[in-house]
Amino acid sequence: VIPSSPRNARALLVAAIRDPDPVVFMEPKHSYRAFREEVPDQEEVLPIGRAQVVQEGTDLTLVSWGAMMLPTLKAAAEIEKDRGASIEIIDVQTIAPLDAETIAASVRKTGRCVIVQEAPRSYGASSEIVAQINDRVLMYLEAPVRRVTGYDMMPPYFGRENAYMPSASQVRRAIEETIDF
């Protein structure tokens, strides 16, 4: 699991502790430092293996997780304001098992998809998501699926990570190119 905010980090951690199977919990510390969020006193549990549709839309599906949700949300808000596009945003939350059905249903509806991950471009989760989209909804696509990723190199340590991580402007450019295709 890879949480994208303090609130869903706690909810996914509770689910991971209670799960009878081993769960790898990836903590994107970059997102912890990026913003503050209210976490309610009552316990919340998010199901492992389920993606969350953060925002409904009809023109493009934007898929992301972890630390990349913040630049993803920022880019989507800019595009919606500037171009009036309706963007559906999906927070994957769980890489394995992947909720490919939620992603496919969204892409079937919108016909376009951009995937944002901080990992290197090659051999990452975004590649598997593209494969699942091709397997399930290829004939519904109106544009090629685009990926916004880190570079194919070792991620740098703190201090230089911002130059490596995909930015909101890179996400925005991918969204515009996909909508205009």
Side-chain angles (χ1 to χ4, degrees), residues 53-163:
V53 178
V54 176
Q55 175 179 301
E56 296 280 337
T58 57
D59 296 327
L60 180 130
T61 299
L62 195 49
V63 180
S64 190
W65 57 91
M68 292 296 92
M69 280 305 293
L70 202 58
T72 296
L73 292 167
K74 181 179 178 192
E78 290 174 3
I79 291 287
E80 288 173 337
K81 180 182 172 207
D82 295 346
R83 297 185 59 161
S86 174
I87 298 176
E88 183 145 306
I89 302 171
I90 297 177
D91 184 349
V92 173
Q93 295 182 355
T94 305
I95 297 298
L98 178 67
D99 186 2
E101 193 52 47
T102 296
I103 296 167
S106 178
V107 173
R108 188 179 298 116
K109 177 173 65 171
T110 66
R112 294 176 175 82
C113 184
V114 173
I115 305 165
V116 184
Q117 75 174 13
E118 69 178 282
R121 185 173 189 81
S122 300
Y123 313 109
S126 66
S127 300
E128 178 59 25
I129 294 170
V130 171
Q132 290 292 326
I133 290 169
N134 286 340
D135 288 349
R136 296 167 186 260
V137 291
L138 177 65
M139 301 309 287
Y140 291 89
L141 288 175
E142 297 177 25
V145 177
R146 273 195 206 278
R147 294 181 293 158
V148 181
T149 68
Y151 299 101
D152 279 334
M153 59 178 266
M154 291 297 296
Y157 291 113
F158 182 75
R160 299 197 192 277
E161 67 185 354
N162 287 338

